[in-house]
Amino acid sequence: MSREAGLLLAAGGAGAVADASTLSAALASWLGDMQLRSSAGAAARAIVERERGATARSLALLTELIG
C-alpha cells in the first residue's frame, strides 16, 4: 500500500475493499449516507491539502543535503 493510501485510510477518507461485494457495500454505504460521504470527503480533502507541496519540500531537503 502506498503512503498516500495509508494516510487516506487512517483519516477515514478512503476505505479498503477486498472484493466486489465489499466494494458494492462500501459504495452503497457512502451513496446512502450523506453525513458519512461528507465526512469521508472532508477527511480526504484535509489529507490532500496537508500533503500539497510535498514534492517541493522533498526537493528542497535533498538540495540542502547534497549541496
Side-chain angles (χ1 to χ4, degrees), residues 28-58:
S29 180
W30 277 351
L31 291 173
D33 185 338
M34 186 191 324
Q35 180 59 39
L36 180 62
R37 188 171 60 245
S38 294
S39 177
R45 187 176 298 109
I47 294 296
V48 170
E49 290 295 325
R50 187 183 80 204
E51 295 298 310
R52 188 175 301 225
T55 301
R57 289 190 303 273
S58 295

Side-chain angles (χ1 to χ4, degrees), residues 17-25:
V17 296
D19 53 37
S21 65
T22 308
L23 175 60
S24 179

